[in-house]
Every structure is written in C-alpha cells, then in structure tokens.
Amino acid sequence: MSTARLLPGAPVAEAVLLDVADRAAKLKAQGVTPSLATILVGDDDASAGYIRIKQRQAASLGFDSPHRHLPDDTTQEHLYEVIAELNADTSVHGVLIQYPIPRHLDYDAALQTLDPDKDVDGMHPLNMGRLAVGLPGPLPCTPAGIEALLAYYDIPVSGHEVVILGRGATLGRPLAMLLAQKRPTANAAVTVVHTGVPDWDRYTRRAEILVAAAGVPGIIQPEHVRPGATVIGAGVRYEGKRLLPDVAEECAEVAGAITPRVGGVGPTTVAMLFRNAITAAEKAVAAR
C-alpha cells in the first residue's frame, strides 16, 4: 500500500509567523508595539496552559500581551466591564477571550460586546458577516489556517471539489465560505455535508479535498476517501488528555496527501490568530 504525503502544519505556521514578526518590527520602528490581550475566566488547567503558550509566542514575535485573569465566580456584567476596558484601550489591538468559560457565563453574548476589529478569533457575528459578503476583516483562525496549509503545499484548490464533513459555526460553515471565494488559493466547488445525512460518505468519496470537521473520532475511514485525495483532519475530540481525531490513520493508505494525527491544523490555527492581531494593529495605526 502507498503512504500519503504528510502535510504538517508547523512549516506553514513558521512562514506565517516570520511574516508577522517582520510586520511587528516595522510597527515598532514607528513607535507602536502590537498588543494581544487575553482574558481567562476560572482556573481550568488546559485553558491556562493555552494562554501561557500564546503569551510566549507573543513575546517571541515582539507583541505586548496584557492578561486579565478573572475568578471562576465572575459575573456576566464584570466580564462585560473587562471587555469594555480592553475595547477602549487604544494600546490594545487584539483581544482573545479564552474558551471555554464557566458554564454560568454566556460566551456568545460576551463575544458580541467585543470590538469586532479586535476580535483575533474572527468569530464575532460582524466578522462572520464580513466573510460572507467578502469584506476585509479578521478571519476565523482554523479555516484561514486550512487555506494557508493547502496553499503552502501547492494543493490545487481553484476549480476543484472540496467536501467538508461538519457544519459547525467555527469551522465547517466559515471554511465553506472562505474556500468558495474567488481567489487563487480558493475558488473551489464546496459541498458541506454532516452526520445527519444518512449517505454522507457518498459525498466524501468524490472529494478531491476532504476536510473532516465533525468532531467524531474515527468517522473517516479508508473506504470514505477517494484514492489520491487530499485529506485534512480538522475535527478532534478529547478523552481526558488523549486526542481522538476524525480521520483514521489507515486513510493514509488511500489518500494522496494527509495531515498528521498531531500537528496538522493546530499550529496554523495559532499562527492565524497572530496574523489577525498584527493586521488589527496595522489597521489601528493607519486610522490614527
């Protein structure tokens, strides 16, 4: 059996972050330090770890990274107040509200109070609307990272058939809008299918590029993949600390190219967060 070409995300992320660091240095030369603020509510160890990783990355890129750590019993109103302070702070160019937040809080409502231009996750409803109509704005990070990964490895997208298994608001739907846009690294014929469709595999088997975004461990098996197709594993679920991907490892025997089980779209997602942040900083400087 042949083994598919691997498409690791680390080289893609490195290329993006080198560009971000160069752009940050140019802003510093103008007397402006780009700033990405983070908000963590509660004491979830995994979330705190993600914040530390992002802060280290921010420092390596020349960013300031102010942090707001709120107690687990924070009220919705206090969360709004902290977001409003960061919205008003002209030295802060991007804001990340670390997800998940405690269950008594409404993340979506909090996100809607964030300045859309500071939304480095690209998930504010206004930014989703911008994406839908093709206006510039922060892009959802995982979809943008997938487009960058395909472009980096010269996977033909324009005019080709992309099938996305998964219709979630953070991945499946925005990725479909992104890859359907008229652009050399997009311009695809995109089909979004989901597990509520009894014969969903009828669609995946014809895909030239298959993106698994269902969050159902092992749902994509070799028989669901068109021979020679490019397979992007974007959906995962955690069982404790164990990562369970949507794409079975055996799919590498059928696919022409495939993301690795670990280190595929994850690194590109983080890189796109900083790309959104540096773009926001440049936009703020241009508007002064």
Side-chain angles (χ1 to χ4, degrees):
M1 285 288 190
S2 62
T3 301
R5 170 192 179 197
L6 279 181
L7 308 174
V12 189
E14 182 179 355
V16 171
L17 294 174
L18 282 173
D19 175 65
V20 169
D22 180 62
R23 292 160 66 182
K26 290 176 180 175
L27 285 180
K28 282 192 162 186
Q30 300 175 51
V32 177
T33 299
S35 174
L36 171 59
T38 52
I39 300 173
L40 174 65
V41 186
D43 297 303
D44 180 76
D45 287 341
S47 293
Y50 294 143
I51 290 291
R52 287 193 294 270
I53 290 170
K54 288 160 187 168
Q55 288 179 318
R56 287 196 296 268
Q57 186 71 74
S60 73
L61 294 170
F63 280 65
D64 281 343
S65 55
H67 181 56
R68 303 288 187 272
H69 186 183
L70 309 182
D72 187 76
D73 61 356
T74 292
T75 64
Q76 190 80 22
E77 290 69 27
H78 183 51
L79 179 56
Y80 289 157
E81 290 170 2
V82 171
I83 294 170
E85 290 171 6
L86 294 173
N87 283 343
D89 189 342
T90 56
S91 70
V92 171
H93 305 111
V95 178
L96 170 71
I97 307 169
Q98 182 63 45
Y99 184 85
I101 60 178
R103 298 180 71 175
H104 71 279
L105 298 175
D106 187 332
Y107 174 84
D108 291 331
L111 179 62
Q112 289 181 50
T113 70
L114 179 63
D115 179 345
D117 289 335
K118 294 188 178 187
D119 166 34
V120 293
D121 270 332
M123 295 307 301
H124 189 284
L126 179 59
N127 289 326
M128 295 295 279
R130 286 167 165 169
L131 171 60
V133 298
L135 293 175
L139 294 173
C141 294
T142 301
I146 290 172
E147 182 181 5
L149 185 145
L150 292 169
Y152 182 88
Y153 288 109
D154 295 319
I155 305 295
V157 176
S158 182
H160 290 263
E161 183 164 17
V162 175
V163 174
I164 303 167
L165 178 62
R167 57 181 170 182
T170 61
L171 181 48
R173 278 179 278 167
L175 179 61
M177 290 190 287
L178 193 64
L179 293 185
Q181 291 179 350
K182 193 172 183 180
R183 197 169 48 252
T185 54
N187 201 39
V190 183
T191 299
V192 178
V193 69
H194 52 85
T195 55
V197 177
D199 59 346
W200 56 261
D201 55 318
R202 174 166 66 93
Y203 299 90
T204 65
R205 285 197 303 270
R206 75 185 193 203
E208 295 170 275
I209 299 171
L210 171 59
V211 181
V216 179
I219 190 171
I220 298 295
Q221 296 291 323
E223 62 267 25
H224 304 139
V225 177
R226 172 177 173 168
T230 295
V231 179
I232 307 295
V236 296
R237 183 178 294 175
Y238 283 89
E239 191 175 86
K241 293 186 177 181
R242 188 174 170 224
L243 182 146
L244 302 174
D246 281 6
V247 179
E249 293 184 20
E250 294 81 3
C251 291
E253 298 173 356
V254 178
I258 193 168
T259 51
R261 180 179 180 275
V262 177
V265 303
T268 65
T269 296
V270 175
M272 293 302 141
L273 183 140
F274 283 99
R275 189 175 74 175
N276 281 341
I278 196 64
T279 301
E282 291 167 341
K283 182 176 179 179
V285 169
R288 289 192 309 187

